[in-house]
């Protein structure tokens, strides 16, 4: 029988959820969903001082917003839980005891100063620093004596020298380490708490995690974590290390990019599907380059698609996917963007008219102002363009509108009266109505713009054409 796919997202709740973490969560979620497996949420909150309950709540809210729901986690406990490391100390204690009993771990009484001196000596001799093994062979009597003195001790994992450690990284391919290069490493700190790599490995084992996709910054932990799992009699998960997300300059993505926190994107109005289409392609390539819905994101996710090239976060790409997402979004999702900016009850019609020009909620406010608000007198190049069409042009438009003409009839009447067509007709008409050269289809715009506003704008345009010199800001 094939082992079931079980993946997890294991954030340390020490700050806002950033895009790099979300990409990790997404890939693990996609892989589990693709293979009908389970996706777990485990909170790595052993670093008690820096972790805040509010951050756990917030990160769960962000994951839910993105639709990355988990099958088990701190709010959905099951037999493999608890899903907070702060509640798992007894598990770690049991694992320490097992390893100590099997002599796979031993207490180390070296002081920070001793370790530092040893490190400098090794570096000075041109050797990579690693634990010299001073406490590896203390006799039980010496250990008992030191313990009786109350000397603080860490617990070190005993690495068998002379071994070649091999594993296949799901992204980076075959990996090879000499066990000597690892040195005996700390698995329990002097204060009794489990080292990160230990609790992480013990929990993956206890939770039967089959695949771990995580950032490249964890590569060095992996051979050690595999040793821990094996020493505990478990099959280590398969690991894949993803290239870190980098910002525009190639530096690791950080707060400085202003866009690295998921909450910021959500608050700015980005849609979850836009974020997923972007992140799914950072360090992973889909056969399909265009928009992918949630099911397609799952169906097309493969380990073969994972790549080693640096994954560049690019705001322009995010905006591209946001446009696609808005284009496809149900109207009910966009109408709230218009609320408070358009007359009550007009949200649906307004969104239908301007949807192609919406990217973020701020755009809805902008277009609502253009359609329903007061525009100042047109100035500058737009004013000049309006004036150049001539007063008769707007008089004809006013006459047609006054006679109740719809958009098609208005255009016909304008053509007949002015002899203009094409851009010479549409540009000044659009400019007169919106003071812009871009925007929604004029027909759609006229559907939502109140008739009194249409008349007022055409009259302002006619006045401007009659007296271009009176327009504020126009050069004398
Ligand atoms: N708590 C670790 C982190 O946030 C988890 C690493 C892992 O996925 O194994 O980096
Ligand atoms: Zn020692």
């Amino acid at each position: 029988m094939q082992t079931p796919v079980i993946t997890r997202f294991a954030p340390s709740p020490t700050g806002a959820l950033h895009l790099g973490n979300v990409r990790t969560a997404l890939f693990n979620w996609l892989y589990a969903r693709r293979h009908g497996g389970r996706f777990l949420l485990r909170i790595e909150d052993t670093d008690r001082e820096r972790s805040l309950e509010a951050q756990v709540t917030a990160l769960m809210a962000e994951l839910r917003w993105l639709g990355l729901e988990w099958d088990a986690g701190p709010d959905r406990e099951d037999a493999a839980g608890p899903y907070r490391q702060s509640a798992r100390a007894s598990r770690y204690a049991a694992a320490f005891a097992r390893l100590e009993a099997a002599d796979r771990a031993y207490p180390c009484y070296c002081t920070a100063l001793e370790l530092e001196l040893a490190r400098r000596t090794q570096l000075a001799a041109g050797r990579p620093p690693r634990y010299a093994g001073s406490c590896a062979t203390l006799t039980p009597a010496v250990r008992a004596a030191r313990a009786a003195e109350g000397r603080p001790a860490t617990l070190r994992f005993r690495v068998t020298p002379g071994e070649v450690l091999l594993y296949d990284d799901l992204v980076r391919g075959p990996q090879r380490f000499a066990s000597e290069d690892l040195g005996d490493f700390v698995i329990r700190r002097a204060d009794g708490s489990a080292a990160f790599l230990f609790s992480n490995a013990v929990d993956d084992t206890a939770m039967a995690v089959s695949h771990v996709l995580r950032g490249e910054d964890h590569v060095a932990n992996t051979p050690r974590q595999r040793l821990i799992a094996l020493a505990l009699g478990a099959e280590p998960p398969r690991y894949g290390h993803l290239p870190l997300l980098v910002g525009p300059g190639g530096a690791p993505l950080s707060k400085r990019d202003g866009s690295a926190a998921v909450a910021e994107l959500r608050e700015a109005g980005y849609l979850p599907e836009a974020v997923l289409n972007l992140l799914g392609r950072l360090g992973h390539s889909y056969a399909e380059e265009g928009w992918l819905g949630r099911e397609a994101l799952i169906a097309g996710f493969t380990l073969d698609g994972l790549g080693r090239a640096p994954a560049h976060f690019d705001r322009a790409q995010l905006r591209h996917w946001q446009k696609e997402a808005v284009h496809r979004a149900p109207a009910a999702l966009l109408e709230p963007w218009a609320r408070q900016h358009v007359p009550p009850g007009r949200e649906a019609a307004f969104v239908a008219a301007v949807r192609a020009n919406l990217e973020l909620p701020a755009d809805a406010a902008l277009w609502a102002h253009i359609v329903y608000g007061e525009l100042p007198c047109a100035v500058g190049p737009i004013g000049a363009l309006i004036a150049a069409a001539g007063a008769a042009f707007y008089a004809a438009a006013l006459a047609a509108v006054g006679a109740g003409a719809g958009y098609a009839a208005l255009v016909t009447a304008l053509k007949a009266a002015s002899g203009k067509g094409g851009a010479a007709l549409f540009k000044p008409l659009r400019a007169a109505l919106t003071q812009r050269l871009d925007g929604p289809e004029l027909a759609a715009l006229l559907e939502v713009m109140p008739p009194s506003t249409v008349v007022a704008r055409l009259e302002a345009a006619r006045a401007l054409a009659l007296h271009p010199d009176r327009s504020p800001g126009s050069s004398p």
Side-chain angles (χ1 to χ4, degrees):
M1 194 190 87
Q2 254 194 323
T3 47
V5 168
I6 301 180
T7 66
R8 53 38 170 205
F9 177 48
S12 312
T14 51
L17 195 58
H18 280 243
L19 285 180
N21 304 108
V22 175
R23 196 258 316 242
T24 300
L26 172 66
F27 284 14
N28 285 290
W29 179 84
L30 286 169
Y31 193 68
R33 293 292 171 261
R34 169 79 179 75
H35 294 281
R38 280 164 61 76
F39 174 65
L40 315 176
L41 174 62
R42 182 174 75 228
I43 305 298
E44 305 218 313
D45 59 349
T46 51
D47 203 348
R48 271 166 237 129
E49 282 179 294
R50 285 197 299 152
S51 302
L52 284 173
E53 191 52 32
Q55 271 155 356
V56 176
T57 310
L59 81 85
M60 294 204 288
E62 304 303 354
L63 292 176
R64 285 208 182 91
W65 175 68
L66 288 162
L68 307 183
E69 75 294 348
W70 48 97
D71 302 297
D75 59 337
R76 296 190 69 174
E77 291 289 354
D78 66 8
Y83 286 91
R84 285 171 196 268
Q85 291 193 326
S86 54
R88 297 182 63 82
S90 61
R91 270 93 175 162
Y92 309 140
F96 291 132
R98 264 183 76 184
L99 295 180
E100 262 192 285
D103 198 33
R104 296 303 311 270
Y106 60 84
C108 165
Y109 299 94
C110 299
T111 64
L113 183 64
E114 286 164 345
L115 293 172
E116 179 58 19
L117 289 176
R119 203 180 77 90
R120 290 206 195 158
T121 312
Q122 287 172 328
L123 284 174
R127 281 179 284 131
R130 63 183 57 96
Y131 182 61
S134 325
C135 302
T137 52
L138 299 182
T139 63
V142 173
R143 280 186 195 147
R146 297 215 171 150
E149 285 167 30
R151 299 247 311 242
T154 60
L155 191 66
R156 285 188 187 270
F157 186 89
R158 191 189 295 282
V159 178
T160 314
E163 285 186 351
V164 178
L165 308 174
L166 300 170
Y167 83 92
D168 256 326
D169 191 285
L170 298 168
V171 181
R172 301 156 68 91
Q175 304 289 306
R176 188 189 167 91
F177 299 86
S179 64
E180 279 90 349
D181 288 344
L182 302 182
D184 293 351
F185 54 90
V186 172
I187 53 179
R188 187 178 64 208
R189 304 186 190 101
D191 68 1
S193 64
F196 154 74
L197 85 178
F198 186 78
S199 46
N200 182 273
V202 168
D203 289 347
D204 282 342
T205 301
M207 296 171 183
V209 169
S210 63
H211 295 76
V212 171
L213 299 175
R214 63 182 178 181
E216 227 164 47
D217 49 334
H218 288 292
V219 159
N221 291 323
T222 304
R224 294 176 176 85
Q225 295 193 293
R226 285 179 44 85
L227 287 178
I228 293 167
L230 292 168
L232 291 170
E235 180 64 29
R238 302 204 56 197
Y239 290 92
H241 292 90
L242 309 165
L244 299 184
L245 294 197
V246 294
L253 200 61
S254 75
K255 276 208 177 94
R256 273 171 292 124
D257 297 301
S259 44
V262 184
E264 276 168 42
L265 297 184
R266 177 172 48 70
E267 282 155 20
Y270 285 96
L271 299 177
E273 286 73 19
V275 178
L276 298 186
N277 265 273
L278 178 78
L279 292 181
R281 292 173 165 95
L282 292 180
H284 176 265
S285 52
Y286 279 100
E288 170 61 52
E289 284 184 2
W291 175 261
L292 293 171
R294 207 164 275 269
E295 292 309 315
L297 283 167
I298 294 171
F301 184 83
T302 62
L303 295 177
D304 286 343
L306 296 173
R308 285 198 63 177
H312 280 271
F313 171 77
D314 175 1
R315 199 159 250 285
Q317 266 168 22
L318 175 62
R319 296 183 52 169
H320 163 78
W321 293 120
Q322 172 72 359
K323 282 202 188 94
E324 298 275 327
V326 170
H327 179 65
R328 290 169 172 80
L333 212 97
L334 303 178
E335 284 162 21
W337 291 11
R339 217 154 281 154
Q340 267 143 35
H341 300 296
V342 310
R346 298 300 287 154
E347 292 88 352
F350 171 77
V351 164
V354 305
R355 178 191 279 264
N357 293 85
L358 299 184
E359 190 181 309
L360 291 170
D363 301 313
L366 171 78
W367 282 101
H369 177 70
I370 292 170
V371 173
Y372 300 106
E374 300 266 340
L375 295 185
C377 249
V379 294
I382 291 280
L385 184 128
I386 293 172
F393 179 79
Y394 300 108
L398 280 163
V401 169
Y407 177 70
L410 168 65
V411 170
T412 310
L414 263 181
K415 264 189 192 148
S418 68
K420 296 185 203 290
L425 184 148
F426 294 108
K427 266 192 172 183
L429 182 58
R430 175 181 290 282
L433 293 173
T434 66
Q435 293 192 10
R436 293 177 67 113
L437 297 177
D438 63 336
E441 296 288 335
L442 279 175
L445 209 62
L446 281 169
E447 295 270 317
V448 288
M449 192 176 277
S452 58
T453 305
V454 174
V455 168
R457 302 241 169 114
L458 291 172
E459 268 168 359
R462 185 173 58 159
L464 189 62
L466 278 173
H467 305 286
D469 47 317
R470 279 197 213 151
S471 139
S474 68
S475 35

